[in-house]
Amino acid sequence: MKKSIAASIIALLFLTAGCGSAPAAKDTVSDKTAAGGTAKAKKIIVGTGTQFANICFIDDKGNLTGYDVELVKEIDKRLPDYEFEFKTMDFSNLLLSLETKKIDFIAHQMEVNKERQEKFLFNDEAYNIFPNKVVVHKDRNDIKSIDDLKGKKVIVGATSNASVLLQDYNKTHNDAINIVYSGSGGTNDVIAQLKAGRVDATISTQFAVDQRNESADAQQKTVGPSISNSKVYFILRKDEAELKTKIDEAIKAIKKDGTLSKLSTKWLGADYTVSE
């Protein structure tokens, strides 16, 4: 009888231990305590996407990765007082999620424009250069610059800086370009519509086009000079000055030791980082 009771207790202990041995997976970058080990690090929710190849995407193993994602992970390693956790969503929802405090900053190759500056805070240390160009199907030869887009359909993300570039162009050119906004498929929608000839062009970078052609047979090419050569930053709320300062300090160190250059070369195929 005693042996039976003892066996039951042991079995119960094993069962209890097994229930807590496999915690649910989450998109947390790290799990750490603040400097000195006396308090838990402050959790920061980082908004990003899953549809921007080589920048923020899901790899063939189901992991969130890419240039922006791996840079955020590196920043997190260097900020012991913070613990970063990713929250993924459609690109079009990122700014609203930041404004409503569902996330604390955005990592998605964000460029500066007037509308964004009025509402949000950009960090000071740029971590990439975004050379926007006109992109067309590889067999298309009648479009060589933004001026050739007059009367044409050009597809872009609704809240992207590319859309702002086209809107600004239209303000001084009698709405000459027919701007089409991509659907929930994001990049995949752009690829499909341009490939099928339902639109005439889009706006993107050479590194993005190279990746699309390699991974999705997008059949795209860039044409003409750069429309903009803007720097890329993280976007925060205006009340996050302290976090902004910490992020800038980390990026400076990541630039100085060559880590940023290595990340750019690995994910973008060349060093697109900003030299001060």
Side-chain angles (χ1 to χ4, degrees), residues 16 21 52 59 69 72 75 81 87-88 96 106 129 139 146 169 172 176 197 208 213 238 256 261-262:
T16 304
S21 61
F52 198 161
D59 66 16
V69 173
V72 168
I75 293 171
D81 291 335
K87 185 171 185 178
T88 58
L96 179 60
I106 298 172
I129 298 176
D139 296 331
I146 190 170
Y169 183 90
T172 57
N213 289 340
K238 289 194 173 183
K256 187 175 181 179
S261 176
K262 290 177 182 177

Side-chain angles (χ1 to χ4, degrees), residues 182-255:
S182 58
S184 59
T187 300
N188 292 332
D189 185 40
V190 172
I191 291 172
Q193 294 213 45
L194 189 57
K195 195 173 181 179
R198 290 191 291 271
V199 296
D200 299 288
T202 186
I203 306 297
S204 192
T205 66
Q206 186 63 54
F207 63 75
V209 168
D210 289 342
Q211 194 284 329
R212 292 172 188 174
N213 289 340
E214 180 180 350
S215 66
D217 188 29
Q219 301 177 19
Q220 297 177 358
K221 67 180 179 181
T222 59
V223 295
S226 295
I227 300 171
S228 67
N229 229 354
S230 56
K231 295 178 180 180
V232 168
Y233 303 87
F234 297 121
I235 299 184
L236 308 89
R237 288 188 301 278
K238 289 194 173 183
D239 61 354
E240 293 180 318
E242 182 178 353
L243 176 60
K244 180 196 82 72
T245 298
K246 295 294 184 181
I247 288 174
D248 280 328
E249 290 173 355
I251 294 176
K252 285 180 182 178
I254 292 167
K255 283 182 179 180

Side-chain angles (χ1 to χ4, degrees), residues 85-99:
E85 180 178 316
F86 289 112
K87 185 171 185 178
T88 58
M89 61 190 69
D90 288 343
F91 178 80
S92 59
N93 293 330
L94 285 168
L95 291 173
L96 179 60
S97 294
L98 181 62
E99 187 175 5

Side-chain angles (χ1 to χ4, degrees), residues 16 20 24 31 34 40 64 96 152 173 203 226 232 250 253 274:
T16 304
D31 185 10
K40 192 169 183 178
L64 179 66
L96 179 60
K152 304 290 195 301
H173 294 82
I203 306 297
S226 295
V232 168
V274 179

Side-chain angles (χ1 to χ4, degrees), residues 98-112:
L98 181 62
E99 187 175 5
T100 56
K101 299 188 176 182
K102 293 178 180 177
I103 58 177
D104 298 305
F105 76 88
I106 298 172
H108 201 299
Q109 294 284 298
M110 303 300 286
E111 302 162 81
V112 176

